[in-house]
Amino acid sequence: MLKRIELKNFKSFKSLSLEIPKGFTAIVGPNGSGKSNIVDAILFVLGKSSARKLRANKFSSLINYHKGRKAEYAEVTLFFESNGEEFGISRKVKKSGETAYYFIKNGEKRRLTKKEIIDFFRRLKLLGDNIISQGDLLNIINMSPIERRKIIDELSGVSEFDEKKKKAEEE
Ligand code: ATP
Ligand code: MG
């Protein structure tokens, strides 16, 4: 369960801590106020490997730019609560464009590989692919029924079994 999002120098935000209350959350605000940037921040931590999917030319463009000055790095942390325990997952991007992932618990921060992160979020059934971005809905509507079915299979976890079945048949 996602509890809090912390942004540091991410896109239009210098520093932001956003509590996510239980239930349904909506973010409202005028055009250009940063609503989609918050969604981009979440996708960034969930492991998006293309800056374009986060509406940036390159990863270093995700770093806050203010009055001609760019911050040294950007970092987004997602804090989760599970079985009464709180932990955080963060991803940082430096000016060089290099990114790194971290696991935070009890004030300790340790670096994780991208694979560890992806496996972790897969177990939580939390992958960036499950998030519908602005404009995506039209793509889904215009898709062929087979393509649409593929997405439903992916979300429901059916495709995992399809892959296993295919492997078993090949043996
Ligand atoms: P809409 O209602 O139009 O969808 P929105 O609230 O979703 O708007 P966003 O797309 O999240 O708005 O925010 C866009 C703003 O973020 C733009 O003004 C853009 O200049 C700013 N922005 C993006 N990247 C950076 C950056 N690296 N540094 C500073 N500002 C940035
Ligand atoms: Mg938007």
Side-chain angles (χ1 to χ4, degrees), residues 35-36 55 134:
K35 304 180 297 289
S36 296
R55 306 178 306 141
Q134 222 163 340

Side-chain angles (χ1 to χ4, degrees), residues 39-80:
V39 178
D40 293 336
I42 297 172
L43 292 172
F44 175 62
V45 183
L46 294 185
K48 273 275 181 267
S49 47
S50 135
R52 290 220 163 266
K53 295 244 167 84
L54 306 170
R55 306 178 306 141
N57 294 327
K58 48 191 194 309
F59 272 109
S60 62
S61 308
L62 296 172
I63 303 174
N64 180 255
Y65 194 81
H66 187 62
K67 291 187 180 153
R69 280 198 54 191
K70 199 175 204 170
E72 282 306 310
Y73 68 89
E75 185 166 15
V76 179
T77 313
L78 304 182
F79 286 97
F80 295 92

Side-chain angles (χ1 to χ4, degrees), residues 122-138:
R122 187 165 286 150
R123 256 180 278 134
L124 287 177
K125 288 226 175 286
L126 235 179
L127 282 177
D129 301 346
N130 300 3
I131 291 174
I132 298 172
S133 303
Q134 222 163 340
D136 278 1
L137 210 53
L138 274 178

Side-chain angles (χ1 to χ4, degrees), residues 151-164:
I151 293 184
I152 294 168
D153 283 355
E154 197 65 54
L155 289 178
S156 62
V158 169
S159 38
E160 193 185 325
F161 294 105
D162 279 346
E163 274 168 39
K164 283 187 182 152

Side-chain angles (χ1 to χ4, degrees), residues 13-113:
F13 299 99
K14 269 251 159 271
S15 181
L16 177 77
S17 179
L18 201 64
E19 298 290 332
I20 311 290
K22 266 210 174 99
F24 181 84
T25 301
I27 301 173
V28 293
N31 295 138
S33 60
K35 304 180 297 289
S36 296
N37 289 347
I38 292 172
V39 178
D40 293 336
I42 297 172
L43 292 172
F44 175 62
V45 183
L46 294 185
K48 273 275 181 267
S49 47
S50 135
R52 290 220 163 266
K53 295 244 167 84
L54 306 170
R55 306 178 306 141
N57 294 327
K58 48 191 194 309
F59 272 109
S60 62
S61 308
L62 296 172
I63 303 174
N64 180 255
Y65 194 81
H66 187 62
K67 291 187 180 153
R69 280 198 54 191
K70 199 175 204 170
E72 282 306 310
Y73 68 89
E75 185 166 15
V76 179
T77 313
L78 304 182
F79 286 97
F80 295 92
E81 197 195 280
S82 171
N83 303 322
E85 287 189 273
E86 192 185 88
F87 62 89
I89 305 271
S90 85
R91 189 178 185 189
K92 193 171 172 172
V93 56
K94 291 197 240 167
K95 267 183 180 169
S96 61
E98 187 196 334
T99 83
Y101 295 90
Y102 301 90
F103 181 79
I104 302 143
K105 198 171 176 186
N106 303 326
E108 269 179 55
K109 191 169 177 178
R110 111 184 135 82
R111 202 170 158 171
L112 291 184
T113 63

